[in-house]
Amino acid sequence: MGQVEMTPGVGSASPFVGTFETGRHYRVHKSYVYAAPILAVLAVVGVTLLNGMQGWVDLVFAIRDGKLAVNVLFVVLGIVGGLVLLVAVCVGLYALAWRNMSYVFDEREFSFYSGIITKRRVHMPYARVQSINQRASIVQRVLGVCTVMIDSAGGSANKGVRVPYLQLETAERMRAELFMRKAAVAAGREGEIAFCGTLAGDACSPIASGGTAAVEQTSPTSVPQNALDATVGFAGDWRGAFGGAAAFGEEPVAYEHGLTNHELLLTTISHDKPIAVALVVLFTFVFTISLVVLVQDEVALWISMAAVPIIVIGTLVTWVIGLLSTLVSYGNFRVRRRGSRIEVERGLLTRVSSGIDVDRVQSIEIRQSFVRRLIGYCEISLGRVNAANEQNKGNNNSSVQAKGLVVHPFVKIDRVDEILAGIVPELADRPQRSECKPMAKPALRRALLRRCLWFNWALWITVAVGVTWAVVGYLVKTGGIQFAGAAEQAQYAHFMVGSLGLVVAACVLFTVVDAIDAVLWARHSGCVWNRRYLLVHNDGLSTTECVIPRQKIQSGNTRSNPFQRRLSLVTLQAVTAAGAGSTVVRLIDIPAEDGAAYLDWLG
């Protein structure tokens, strides 16, 4: 262990000991200089090749057929030289960016500096730090580095800090340092932080978020295991080329949970995304081929028959790819309750580590997709404030994740209380779904009108197609559109009638599904509140149950349109700070007296 140096004027008995010197500029890892630009060049080359695929194919055929004479050696040297020059330019730019990129721990705030021409400084007071998350791509895991995302607690206007290419050891030290300095600021002792100077590869004593040495990590619960956990055990522990040794211990784990083989398999099979993408591909193919068949052309019929196996194989391949993506995403899934923090780690290749302080939990959300409702399973997530990173506003990682922090992707509905008791025992006295007040009687009629008529996009598309074909038919009848002969006109008429029938059939199918969804919603939805929590349950083919602590409701209101007022109905709304902006939880068409009681409860 390196020699310990204390900051002037600070006694060795200080409870707040850090490993980053106050006011000193630290740089990210040097792998940023070569790894990031190479990845950027590969992405540019890949996009260029894909976008110009037809041109490249035509060029190859032109060379093969002798229409274009080229010197192969000259072309190869030109391509290699161009790539080398592009990589060199990118490496130079990234090197300049690296020299101008640093982060600083000041007494009361963390600052990140970047920019070559336009200089940028993002700072975050320690008091506003909400969570420190890590994300490592496949390449970053090989290098032993990661990107650290520091989320703030600034509500709808919060800004996050994104620090790229930190060694895993440094990232862990940074997380401990930020929580320690936050605790010091909260105690009014930010000027009493002792500095533990270390040499490369050395480590100080463990630092807990409260500023004191942590005890050895233990877990009082048995953690479920699956086959992937054993497969990726080495990969999960391996810290890459520059990862370094584990920096610090942590607070003891009070609760930890993973996924069993059964849960991981069913999570993958029943996940919304693979099913939705596969169904969209299938529907698009079937609809397109059906229109081709209606043309009544011999070549078109042959193409449509040949496309049938392509449709089946394409749908299956799309679904399998989606399954593998989900499997990789949730591989080695772990959720922990450590002190006052909830931590989630997941990812077989790209590793994501997210966390949140329990005081920052905005809501608990229990979701059931249609498939999961049929088999009695659900997904549990925590609504949280998400930061919009100043350095990467347009990046998908900065956008709000609609599902929040998923703490269990697939669990039996009757085990929800058990899981939540381990993760957030503070919410044990929340109301239950069985206590919900029923919807008003007119809610069913209004739901059917709303979903099957006013907001039925399939119906309005059918109306638009019908009107279009009617206008075209009128033009044909009046001579505005003329055909070469009677056969062509008959073929057109067959296509028009057949395509309209196809659209009407699709409309009827979607309308029936919407009607079933509306009936389930009206019969089983509801809301209830007790002294501390509001529960809103929206039912249907898929369900969402949201539990919101009363103190997390930024604003609550009821609203009604003229039709609702005539029936003494209102729409309940609760606004939380979850997401990058805010999240509105609502329940339509509750009785007006329940709405008034809700406002009294908020007051």
Side-chain angles (χ1 to χ4, degrees):
M1 179 176 293
Q3 183 179 2
V4 177
E5 302 173 1
M6 311 307 294
T7 52
V10 179
S12 60
S14 171
F16 301 105
V17 182
T19 58
F20 291 89
E21 189 174 356
T22 300
R24 178 181 173 183
H25 284 253
Y26 292 88
R27 286 202 170 97
V28 303
H29 194 260
K30 289 184 178 180
S31 59
Y32 176 83
V33 175
Y34 54 85
I38 290 176
L39 291 175
V41 169
L42 290 176
V44 170
V45 171
V47 170
T48 302
L49 290 176
L50 290 175
N51 287 340
M53 183 61 68
Q54 185 60 47
W56 297 116
V57 172
D58 293 341
L59 180 62
V60 170
F61 278 110
I63 295 174
R64 188 196 66 178
D65 297 338
K67 298 179 181 178
L68 181 64
V70 296
N71 188 317
V72 177
L73 179 62
F74 177 78
V75 171
V76 171
L77 290 177
I79 293 175
V80 173
L83 287 176
V84 171
L85 179 61
L86 181 60
V87 171
V89 171
C90 288
V91 168
L93 291 175
Y94 274 85
L96 286 175
W98 177 80
R99 290 181 62 85
N100 290 276
M101 186 182 297
S102 63
Y103 56 92
V104 180
F105 289 87
D106 291 318
E107 281 196 355
R108 300 189 63 86
E109 66 183 19
F110 175 85
S111 298
F112 182 72
Y113 298 82
S114 62
I116 300 175
I117 298 175
T118 301
K119 300 294 184 180
R120 189 162 44 207
R121 175 193 175 192
V122 184
H123 68 94
M124 180 179 294
Y126 298 126
R128 288 183 57 194
V129 172
Q130 173 180 277
S131 61
I132 298 97
N133 306 322
Q134 298 177 17
R135 183 181 183 88
S137 65
I138 302 174
V139 174
Q140 285 180 317
R141 292 196 70 187
V142 171
L143 294 174
V145 297
C146 66
T147 297
V148 175
M149 294 160 287
I150 308 170
D151 288 354
S152 68
S156 60
N158 63 322
K159 294 289 187 295
V161 181
R162 178 177 176 271
V163 186
Y165 283 78
L166 290 179
Q167 286 179 264
L168 295 180
E169 182 180 44
T170 305
E172 292 164 5
R173 290 171 51 208
M174 175 181 284
R175 181 173 63 175
E177 185 86 11
L178 286 168
F179 281 128
M180 181 273 295
R181 289 180 179 262
K182 178 179 179 178
V185 169
R189 304 178 65 178
E190 60 271 16
E192 302 179 18
I193 297 175
F195 169 57
C196 175
T198 61
L199 301 174
D202 291 336
C204 291
S205 300
I207 296 177
S209 61
T212 58
V215 299
E216 184 180 355
Q217 176 173 319
T218 58
S219 176
T221 59
S222 59
V223 184
Q225 300 286 325
N226 59 66
L228 286 184
D229 290 342
T231 323
V232 302
F234 172 74
D237 295 334
W238 184 57
R239 302 178 64 81
F242 308 111
F248 292 123
E250 290 281 1
E251 295 180 59
V253 174
Y255 177 84
E256 184 170 4
H257 203 85
L259 297 178
T260 64
N261 285 321
H262 179 258
E263 290 172 338
L264 180 61
L265 178 62
L266 291 180
T267 297
T268 304
I269 295 175
S270 66
H271 200 270
D272 299 349
K273 188 178 293 185
I275 296 175
V277 173
L279 288 177
V280 168
V281 170
L282 177 63
F283 180 79
T284 303
F285 271 131
V286 171
F287 194 83
T288 303
I289 294 302
S290 300
L291 292 178
V292 172
V293 171
L294 291 173
V295 174
Q296 285 191 326
D297 180 80
E298 185 176 344
V299 175
L301 290 174
W302 180 84
I303 293 175
S304 62
M305 291 298 295
V308 171
I310 297 177
I311 294 174
V312 176
I313 295 174
T315 302
L316 290 175
V317 168
T318 304
W319 184 59
V320 170
I321 291 175
L323 291 181
L324 292 177
S325 174
T326 304
L327 185 68
V328 168
S329 176
Y330 284 101
N332 204 17
F333 179 90
R334 285 289 182 274
V335 58
R336 303 181 185 93
R337 175 64 186 262
R338 194 194 306 272
S340 64
R341 299 196 308 279
I342 301 164
E343 302 172 352
V344 175
E345 293 183 3
R346 63 180 179 86
L348 210 58
L349 301 177
T350 297
R351 193 70 178 158
V352 179
S353 175
S354 302
I356 184 175
D357 193 278
V358 69
D359 290 337
R360 298 297 179 184
V361 173
Q362 302 295 311
S363 61
I364 296 176
E365 296 175 358
I366 302 168
R367 293 185 179 87
Q368 288 182 292
S369 63
F370 174 68
V371 174
R372 293 181 179 184
R373 179 170 185 173
L374 291 178
I375 57 179
Y377 281 79
C378 67
E379 175 187 85
I380 307 174
S381 63
L382 304 179
R384 60 176 177 176
V385 179
N386 282 41
N389 289 304
E390 183 70 24
Q391 302 96 318
N392 200 14
K393 290 183 179 179
N395 191 292
N396 290 335
N397 295 335
S398 305
S399 61
V400 56
Q401 296 179 0
K403 291 187 176 181
L405 183 65
V406 177
V407 294
H408 205 300
F410 195 87
V411 62
K412 279 188 176 181
I413 197 71
D414 56 6
R415 291 191 58 218
V416 169
D417 289 341
E418 172 195 337
I419 300 297
L420 292 179
I423 299 172
V424 279
E426 295 84 354
L427 277 66
D429 57 340
R430 69 189 187 281
Q432 300 297 318
R433 182 190 304 184
S434 57
E435 304 171 19
C436 285
K437 302 177 182 180
M439 302 295 292
K441 289 184 179 180
L444 175 57
R445 182 176 73 253
R446 282 179 44 79
L448 289 171
L449 289 173
R450 187 167 55 249
R451 303 190 186 196
C452 299
L453 182 60
W454 308 121
F455 300 111
N456 186 350
W457 59 267
L459 173 64
W460 296 113
I461 289 177
T462 303
V463 171
V465 171
V467 170
T468 302
W469 278 170
V471 171
V472 173
Y474 174 78
L475 292 176
V476 172
K477 185 176 180 180
T478 58
I481 297 178
Q482 297 182 355
F483 295 92
E488 287 76 8
Q489 185 169 348
Q491 186 179 15
Y492 154 76
H494 180 270
F495 175 78
M496 183 178 68
V497 173
S499 59
L500 182 60
L502 186 64
V503 172
V504 169
C507 174
V508 170
L509 175 63
F510 284 114
T511 302
V512 169
V513 172
D514 285 338
I516 296 173
D517 191 51
V519 171
L520 291 174
W521 175 85
R523 288 187 176 179
H524 302 295
S525 297
C527 62
V528 64
W529 53 85
N530 59 18
R531 185 174 60 88
R532 296 178 57 195
Y533 301 102
L534 166 69
L535 184 149
V536 177
H537 177 68
N538 279 286
D539 209 280
L541 293 175
S542 59
T543 71
T544 302
E545 179 181 326
C546 187
V547 180
I548 310 173
R550 182 177 176 181
Q551 69 270 23
K552 299 300 181 182
I553 300 178
Q554 292 192 328
S555 65
N557 59 76
T558 60
R559 57 183 2 176
S560 59
N561 56 40
F563 301 102
Q564 287 178 310
R565 288 194 292 273
R566 187 171 63 86
L567 298 170
S568 298
L569 302 175
V570 296
T571 296
L572 176 149
Q573 292 194 150
V575 182
T576 70
S582 60
T583 298
V584 180
V585 178
R586 60 170 55 90
L587 183 62
I588 303 174
D589 291 343
I590 68 171
E593 56 269 23
D594 289 345
Y598 167 68
L599 295 179
D600 291 340
W601 174 76
L602 283 177

